[in-house]
Amino acid sequence: MTRGEILELGLIPLAGAALWLSAPALPSRTDFGTLLLLASSLFLAQGLIRDLCLLAEAKRHLPEPGSRVSPCMCLESAIGLTGVLSGLALLGVGLSGRIAMTPGRWTFAALAVLLTGFALKDFVFEWSPWRIRREKNHLNVIFRWKR
């Protein structure tokens, strides 16, 4: 494990504790669409913070010769974007059911999202051939629709 990964794993429980302490200020009932939108936004924010840290780290080191070009997309970004769009669609058409949320449920939901984001951080999917593969620190993978 890298130092950044250890730091991220250490920050996840701290984020859960902060949410637990602030959960009484959160609503006790929410729409499913709102919950999906919030969870997906947290998922994307975690990836954004990780990418910014990787970019800062890359600026401190010499660039790798010849970046890899591949028609692929970060799995974490694809899942987060799909969740945000789905949450907005559910809210927009009013098909979202109400869910009772306790401080424990808010905390569990956030921790589940953050741990899932950590587990999926190194995966991308390619279109041609269709596959999901591991690409550690995939900032060097350039997104393109066609080869």
Side-chain angles (χ1 to χ4, degrees), residues 1-12 46 49-50 53-54 57 60 118 121 136-137:
M1 268 185 142
T2 66
R3 196 173 74 213
E5 290 170 333
I6 293 169
L7 178 63
E8 184 177 355
L9 273 179
L11 290 174
I12 289 173
Q46 179 186 19
I49 292 168
R50 186 183 309 110
C53 290
L54 288 173
E57 182 69 24
R60 284 193 283 264
F118 182 80
K121 68 181 173 48
K136 187 106 171 125
N137 297 337

Side-chain angles (χ1 to χ4, degrees), residues 23 26-31 35 99-109:
L26 296 171
S28 61
R29 295 186 64 76
T30 189
D31 292 326
L35 187 60
I99 300 172
M101 295 297 289
T102 62
R105 286 183 177 178
W106 281 112
T107 304
F108 177 79

Side-chain angles (χ1 to χ4, degrees), residues 67-70 72 124 133 135 137-143:
S67 63
R68 177 185 169 136
V69 176
S70 148
C72 64
V124 295
R133 64 179 171 79
E135 179 80 27
N137 297 337
H138 49 265
L139 282 178
N140 59 339
V141 177
I142 300 168
F143 174 78

Side-chain angles (χ1 to χ4, degrees), residues 17-74:
L19 185 63
W20 175 265
L21 293 173
S22 63
L26 296 171
S28 61
R29 295 186 64 76
T30 189
D31 292 326
F32 177 72
T34 301
L35 187 60
L36 182 59
L37 183 61
L38 290 171
S40 299
S41 297
L42 177 61
F43 201 68
L44 286 172
Q46 179 186 19
L48 175 64
I49 292 168
R50 186 183 309 110
D51 288 347
L52 291 174
C53 290
L54 288 173
L55 281 171
E57 182 69 24
K59 285 190 179 226
R60 284 193 283 264
H61 301 293
L62 294 174
E64 292 182 17
S67 63
R68 177 185 169 136
V69 176
S70 148
C72 64
M73 184 172 188
C74 173

Side-chain angles (χ1 to χ4, degrees), residues 117-137:
F118 182 80
L120 296 178
K121 68 181 173 48
D122 291 331
F123 290 93
V124 295
F125 66 86
E126 292 183 354
W127 284 273
S128 179
W130 171 253
R131 67 182 176 158
I132 294 175
R133 64 179 171 79
R134 186 178 176 116
E135 179 80 27
K136 187 106 171 125
N137 297 337

